């Protein structure tokens, strides 16, 4: 996989970076990444994946841009109000990096389409805003053998982890699944939605950028991903804490049949 002169200039700071270099940038160009949700978390994820030169980005979202989104969903602008978010996101990627291919999926991520969507990509990033989608993304990625980066936010805080329960860890033991961390979704109404509780706009920028960083590390093979670790971020007090977690003996690979 080769680069033209404009790509070489665009990615110069990656290419001179010792741990990435030309081979790492080639891996980024060859990668296919699915982003579930193009809202608060999805916006910075998409921006940084596009800027980094991920070759193909899939966008899944059936929502349209509303004025109240613009306080935090930075790939959308005032002229985009009323447009499908995947279309606005596609146009944003084109402005950032015309070398990136965007595949739009203007649908809700459901049990009926999850497998086909996840299987078409190398890595999945979940930037959704509800537990049903998070659990579906995690179960589907586990079932079809895809690594999942999943983040969540609320008010002034957030969390992120990277899941590869279909793969063994560095010690040979199987990695944990999302359900090892959260066995079941919380009761409906227990965790207030963003529209009810509110959120500081920059919080999604921090967590979304962390999620994009995890993807770039996974693709290039740089560093240590957040396998078996949940990073918790409290931006009100500017504290970052990591919790280790392990595979539950009761964990079984989900069946999508």
């Amino acid at each position: 996989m080769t680069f033209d002169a404009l790509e070489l200039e665009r990615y110069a700071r990656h290419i001179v970076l010792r741990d990435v270099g030309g081979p790492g940038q080639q891996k980024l160009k060859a990668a296919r990444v699915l982003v579930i949700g193009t809202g608060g978390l999805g916006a910075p994820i998409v921006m940084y994946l596009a800027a980094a030169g991920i070759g193909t980005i899939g966008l899944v979202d059936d929502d349209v841009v509303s004025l109240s989104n613009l306080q935090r969903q930075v790939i959308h602008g005032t002229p985009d109000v009323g447009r499908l978010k995947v279309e606005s996101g596609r146009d944003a990627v084109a402005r950032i990096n015309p070398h990136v291919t965007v595949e739009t999926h203007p649908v809700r991520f459901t049990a009926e389409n999850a497998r086909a969507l996840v299987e078409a990509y190398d890595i999945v990033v979940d930037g959704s805003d509800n537990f049903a989608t998070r659990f579906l993304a995690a179960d589907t990625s586990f079932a079809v053998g895809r690594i999942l980066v999943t983040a969540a936010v609320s008010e002034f805080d957030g969390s992120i982890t990277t899941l590869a329960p279909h793969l063994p860890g560095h010690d040979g033991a199987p990695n944990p699944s999302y359900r090892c961390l959260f066995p079941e979704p919380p009761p409906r109404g227990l965790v207030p939605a963003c529209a009810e509780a509110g959120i500081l706009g920059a919080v999604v920028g921090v967590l979304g950028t962390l999620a994009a960083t995890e993807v770039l590390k996974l693709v290039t093979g740089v560093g240590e991903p957040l396998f078996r670790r949940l990073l918790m971020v409290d931006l009100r007090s500017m504290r970052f804490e990591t919790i280790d977690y392990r595979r539950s003996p009761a964990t079984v690979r989900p069946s999508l049949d």
Side-chain angles (χ1 to χ4, degrees):
M1 186 167 289
T2 60
F3 301 106
D4 62 28
L6 292 177
E7 288 177 292
L8 289 173
E9 183 175 357
R10 178 183 292 271
Y11 305 131
R13 299 302 183 274
H14 272 175
I15 293 171
V16 299
L17 187 61
R18 183 180 59 186
D19 288 340
V20 178
Q25 193 62 49
Q26 288 179 322
K27 292 177 182 178
L28 293 172
K29 186 173 182 177
R32 294 175 54 83
V33 177
L34 181 67
V35 181
I36 302 173
T38 52
L41 285 167
I45 291 169
V46 170
M47 287 178 64
Y48 276 101
L49 295 185
I54 291 292
T56 303
I57 301 175
L59 307 179
V60 183
D61 203 316
D62 68 341
D63 199 8
V64 298
V65 180
S66 66
L67 194 59
S68 64
N69 296 151
L70 304 185
Q71 158 255 16
R72 64 200 179 282
Q73 300 183 16
V74 291
I75 54 173
H76 312 299
T78 304
D80 297 313
V81 171
R83 297 183 67 200
L84 283 166
K85 289 183 179 179
V86 293
E87 293 181 355
S88 176
R90 175 198 60 204
D91 293 349
V93 170
R95 291 191 298 271
I96 295 167
N97 190 346
H99 302 286
V100 174
T101 298
V102 176
E103 296 175 349
T104 59
H105 305 282
V107 296
R108 190 169 188 82
F109 189 76
T110 66
E112 289 70 33
N113 61 28
R115 179 169 196 149
L117 287 168
V118 168
E119 282 185 328
Y121 295 86
D122 305 319
I123 295 174
V124 181
V125 195
D126 177 23
S128 63
D129 61 358
N130 64 87
F131 282 99
T133 302
R134 289 181 198 132
F135 274 82
L136 178 60
D139 289 344
T140 305
S141 297
F142 186 2
V144 304
R146 296 293 187 273
I147 295 178
L148 171 70
V149 178
T150 181
V153 293
S154 66
E155 298 187 35
F156 293 89
D157 53 59
S159 62
I160 178 174
T161 191
T162 299
L163 300 160
H166 58 291
L167 298 175
H170 58 85
D171 57 359
N175 285 316
S177 72
Y178 192 68
R179 291 182 183 271
C180 298
L181 189 59
F182 304 107
E184 297 293 339
R188 185 181 297 273
L190 180 64
V191 180
C194 174
E196 300 167 350
I199 186 166
L200 187 71
V203 171
V204 295
V206 174
L207 272 297
T209 302
L210 289 172
T213 303
E214 279 291 282
V215 174
L216 300 181
K217 287 164 51 187
L218 289 163
V219 173
T220 58
V222 172
E224 182 182 355
L226 282 169
F227 296 145
R228 305 185 183 185
R229 295 182 293 152
L230 177 70
L231 176 63
M232 303 182 68
V233 181
D234 180 349
L235 293 169
R236 191 195 296 268
S237 60
M238 202 54 75
R239 288 176 18 188
F240 290 67
E241 298 181 9
T242 303
I243 297 175
D244 294 332
Y245 62 102
R246 293 290 181 264
R247 178 90 163 214
S248 166
T251 298
V252 295
R253 192 162 183 163
S255 172
L256 302 181
D257 299 329

